[in-house]
Amino acid sequence: MDLAISKFAMVFIGILIATVAVSIPYLKSLDTIENKIEIKIRDQFIVSELAKNALTRSKGLSGRQKIGINEGMLFEFSAPGRYSFWMRNMKFPIDIIWIDENKKIIGITENIDPQIGVSAIDLKAYYPPESIKWALELKAGRAKILRAENGDSVQISPFVKK
């Protein structure tokens, strides 16, 4: 009897460990999915990560090797302003779509060079033409594919609806 209970306990513990091992990556992926935003411009969709605090905004896309054609990073600010962007530790060129508090495009900066090898102090700063509430960073050339123009509406919604 004790041997049967011991075997049962070992099987139960094994199943428990396997369940935890499988669940951790899944839970991490849920956290990643919950940080995604769906952007719609001119009937085209982009899945974007959301950078809404100082830490995520300062890191941005730096250090990444690439992003996909339908991926981006949406920078959200608590109040409209003329926030600067730089290409620190960037490895690929990007487009930036500047979006005002009314969710309208007010400017587009295309094919921004990553300035590889340029010291942080010498990096060029990029500014929107006027106050923004959001900035959308995309793979270089994506803004042209979107046919995005000043005045276009931008729909921003959570990727996972709660």
Side-chain angles (χ1 to χ4, degrees):
M1 185 86 167
D2 288 335
L3 184 59
I5 293 173
S6 176
K7 285 182 179 179
F8 175 76
M10 288 175 52
V11 168
F12 179 76
I13 290 171
I15 291 171
L16 184 62
I17 289 171
T19 302
V20 169
V22 169
S23 297
I24 289 173
Y26 175 73
L27 293 172
K28 285 183 180 179
S29 72
L30 282 181
D31 184 44
T32 302
I33 289 172
E34 287 180 355
N35 191 41
K36 300 279 187 190
I37 298 294
E38 184 178 75
I39 310 289
K40 182 179 177 189
I41 301 172
R42 290 193 164 229
D43 295 324
Q44 295 184 55
F45 292 91
I46 294 165
V47 175
S48 177
E49 291 180 49
L50 181 62
K52 65 179 181 178
N53 62 46
L55 180 62
T56 56
R57 284 192 304 261
S58 67
K59 183 172 183 193
L61 293 170
S62 67
R64 298 186 190 193
Q65 296 300 317
K66 63 180 180 172
I67 58 170
I69 195 73
N70 287 323
E71 297 176 331
M73 181 166 279
L74 183 69
F75 294 76
E76 180 179 36
F77 299 95
S78 57
R82 290 198 71 223
Y83 303 97
S84 67
F85 284 69
W86 63 351
M87 297 295 285
R88 184 172 182 207
N89 296 322
M90 288 292 292
K91 300 183 185 301
F92 53 89
I94 61 170
D95 294 342
I96 300 178
I97 296 179
W98 309 102
I99 305 164
D100 70 10
E101 63 187 320
N102 298 313
K103 296 184 181 172
K104 299 281 186 193
I105 296 175
I106 59 160
I108 302 168
T109 306
E110 296 181 86
N111 295 308
I112 300 172
D113 180 57
Q115 299 177 298
I116 296 170
V118 176
S119 68
I121 199 158
D122 293 325
L123 288 172
K124 181 177 178 183
Y126 296 88
Y127 291 89
E130 43 189 280
S131 289
I132 60 166
K133 175 83 167 136
W134 295 275
L136 178 60
E137 290 185 348
L138 303 168
K139 181 177 186 163
R142 184 62 169 114
K144 190 171 293 256
I145 294 169
L146 284 169
R147 297 179 326 277
E149 297 178 353
N150 287 352
D152 284 350
S153 292
V154 178
Q155 292 179 9
I156 301 170
S157 57
F159 191 70
V160 175
K161 316 288 192 265
K162 293 182 180 182

